Amino acid sequence: MIATTLILLLVLIGLSIPVGAALGVLGLILDPLYSMLPLTRGIGELAWSTNNEFLLVAIPLFILLGEILLRSGFAERMYGAMSLWLSWLPGGLMHANIGASALFAATSGSSVATAATVGTVALPQIKRYGYNEPLFLGSLAAGGTLGILIPPSINLVLYGVLTNSSVPKLYLAGIVPGLLLAGLFMLTVIVGCIVKPEWGGRRITASWGERFASLAHLAPPLGIFFLVVGSIYAGLATPTEAAALGVTGAMLLAAWSRRLTLSMLREAVEGTMKATAMIMLIILAAAFLNFVMSATGITDAITSSIRGLGFSPVQMLVVIVVFYLILGCFMETLSMMITTIPIVAPIMIGLGYDPIWLGILIIVLVEAALITPPVGLNLFVVQSLRKSGSMNAVIVGSMPYVAAMAVLMLLLAVFPDLALFLPRVFE
């Protein structure tokens, strides 16, 4: 059963069928093969119970928050401010790419939105200042991954739903690793530009007066971040309610800057509906597939096979890391999380690993999947923003940042308190 399921999944993905459809079709195929009863008759009830989860309402709200900030021009001004403050480092605007991605991640909660937003603003600077194109493109793809680690994060919400873990604790646990990963990305750029100074392009100069004046453009996204995250930890709002507060704050900022128009709102809502529809299709299809696998005994067979290996907790951790790195080359991140976490999390938690720490590690592994070929979503996002050039440049430029993620995984394994310190302090 396990081999058949895996082969069918790889075949469906290899046929370039959209991931949500592939997961649903796989469930429809496995049902008559291994089930004595027609499990498809439970799709309606399953879809209702899956959708009827209050935390999931946060997903479209966080997407809408990012859309409003993007379309009201705050992202462009934020990038300009970051470029003035960080361009003195070796690598210049590549640090602005990462810094702006980290800041936008703290408001949007979406990796794709972060990569698309910062990439739209930053790409014209490659030729203008003579940067090494692959490394610059890689900084955009990798910087975008911060959107699912730095709170508020849509993927952390999903992990909390799937494992019944505290989303506020997960948000706290993601802050230090998220900032540390941004620092590792910047260190990667610095090392590359020290070894090859010509990769860093022409230096941008700015006076201290210009830098301090630009701080006004960093205030709106920071204000949204403190409104969303602060309301959660002050006990004033749940994550879903905090997302709604963030949308309200973004609309007020857009109105204050005279960018709040009906056409802008229509475009933001349309973008939100498209992204939400894609995410919910994947969630529903994966929920049906998990239901079929559980009812037919495939999940139990996989779990028993893994436990039967007799690995120690450390050996199992290595197996899980390798498993996610390989799977991330073939599956989209949300579907990978939804199909694997119900199997992986109970095993790892049973071996003594903290569920909050495990969530952060899985998110970092999922981040790596966003920039590893052939299915790395952020690679396609950055490539789609370019007017010309091969996808190979984006792939090659992203590889040094994958190495930085590997360093963070090692640090998390050796120093678990990097993720667990803040949740423990605020208990």
Side-chain angles (χ1 to χ4, degrees):
M1 288 193 298
I2 298 174
T4 303
T5 302
L6 182 59
I7 291 170
L8 285 172
L9 178 61
L10 292 176
V11 169
L12 290 170
I13 293 175
L15 292 173
S16 298
I17 297 174
V19 174
L23 296 176
V25 169
L26 179 58
L28 293 174
I29 294 173
L30 293 176
D31 177 15
L33 280 179
Y34 299 115
S35 176
M36 296 176 61
L37 300 173
L39 299 177
T40 52
R41 294 185 180 180
I43 290 179
E45 177 66 25
L46 184 68
W48 171 254
S49 61
T50 302
N51 277 319
N52 195 24
E53 172 60 60
F54 182 64
L55 264 177
L56 292 180
V57 180
I59 293 176
L61 290 173
F62 280 131
I63 295 173
L64 180 59
L65 170 57
E67 289 278 343
I68 292 173
L69 289 177
L70 168 62
R71 299 179 191 280
S72 56
F74 287 107
E76 185 174 352
R77 295 193 288 273
M78 176 186 68
Y79 183 83
M82 280 290 182
S83 67
L84 294 179
W85 280 98
L86 299 175
S87 58
W88 61 272
L89 291 166
L93 289 180
M94 285 184 274
H95 297 289
N97 295 345
I98 297 164
S101 294
L103 191 54
F104 193 78
T107 58
S108 73
S110 167
S111 173
V112 172
T114 301
T117 300
V118 179
T120 301
V121 180
L123 276 177
Q125 314 304 325
I126 298 176
K127 292 183 179 179
R128 183 179 178 184
Y129 291 102
Y131 286 99
N132 175 265
E133 188 171 36
L135 192 63
F136 194 97
L137 295 170
S139 71
L140 293 172
T145 65
L146 298 170
I148 64 173
L149 182 57
I150 295 177
S153 161
I154 293 171
N155 293 63
L156 284 175
V157 170
L158 280 177
Y159 178 87
V161 171
L162 292 170
T163 61
N164 199 28
S165 299
S166 165
V167 173
K169 285 186 177 180
L170 286 167
Y171 277 1
L172 279 172
I175 293 175
V176 173
L179 295 177
L180 181 57
L181 184 58
L184 289 171
F185 285 163
M186 296 175 74
L187 181 61
T188 301
V189 172
I190 290 173
V191 171
C193 293
I194 288 176
V195 174
K196 294 280 188 179
E198 64 273 17
W199 288 1
R202 296 193 305 277
R203 187 66 58 89
I204 298 175
T205 58
S207 67
W208 283 105
E210 292 173 323
R211 287 172 179 158
F212 283 114
S214 71
L215 289 177
H217 300 313
L218 299 179
L222 283 174
I224 293 293
F225 171 75
F226 286 116
L227 175 64
V228 173
V229 177
S231 63
I232 294 174
Y233 297 115
L236 301 176
T238 65
T240 302
E241 293 165 345
L245 281 175
V247 171
T248 303
M251 291 181 67
L252 290 173
L253 285 172
W256 174 72
S257 63
R258 298 182 180 179
R259 297 291 185 95
L260 185 63
T261 62
L262 286 177
S263 61
M264 186 274 280
L265 278 178
R266 184 179 66 250
E267 292 173 359
V269 171
E270 285 177 355
T272 301
M273 290 175 66
K274 290 177 182 178
T276 304
M278 177 192 72
I279 292 171
M280 292 309 299
L281 173 62
I282 292 172
I283 290 174
L284 291 176
F288 173 63
L289 176 59
N290 285 335
F291 170 63
V292 172
M293 290 176 63
S294 177
T296 56
I298 297 175
T299 300
D300 289 338
I302 294 173
T303 303
S304 298
S305 298
I306 295 174
R307 285 178 173 163
L309 295 173
F311 287 161
S312 68
V314 174
Q315 289 172 326
M316 185 59 70
L317 179 62
V318 173
V319 169
I320 294 301
V321 168
V322 173
F323 167 72
Y324 270 103
L325 290 176
I326 295 174
L327 191 63
C329 294
F330 304 99
M331 287 190 73
E332 187 273 335
T333 55
L334 286 173
S335 55
M336 183 168 65
M337 287 182 64
I338 296 167
T339 53
T340 62
I341 287 175
I343 299 172
V344 170
I347 294 173
M348 298 300 287
I349 294 170
L351 289 172
Y353 288 103
D354 186 281
I356 301 299
W357 176 88
L358 179 64
I360 300 305
L361 180 69
I362 289 178
I363 292 297
V364 176
L365 288 165
V366 168
E367 282 186 311
L370 286 166
I371 56 174
T372 50
V375 190
L377 194 57
N378 277 20
L379 301 178
F380 290 100
V381 171
V382 173
Q383 177 64 17
S384 69
L385 298 174
R386 302 172 70 199
K387 296 181 180 178
S388 62
S390 167
M391 181 77 159
N392 289 337
V394 188
I395 294 172
V396 170
S398 297
M399 290 304 100
Y401 302 98
V402 176
M405 291 179 178
V407 172
L408 178 61
M409 293 176 209
L410 181 61
L411 290 173
L412 283 171
V414 177
F415 306 106
D417 274 354
L418 288 174
L420 297 178
F421 174 73
L422 286 180
R424 190 182 301 121
V425 168
F426 283 88
E427 273 185 341

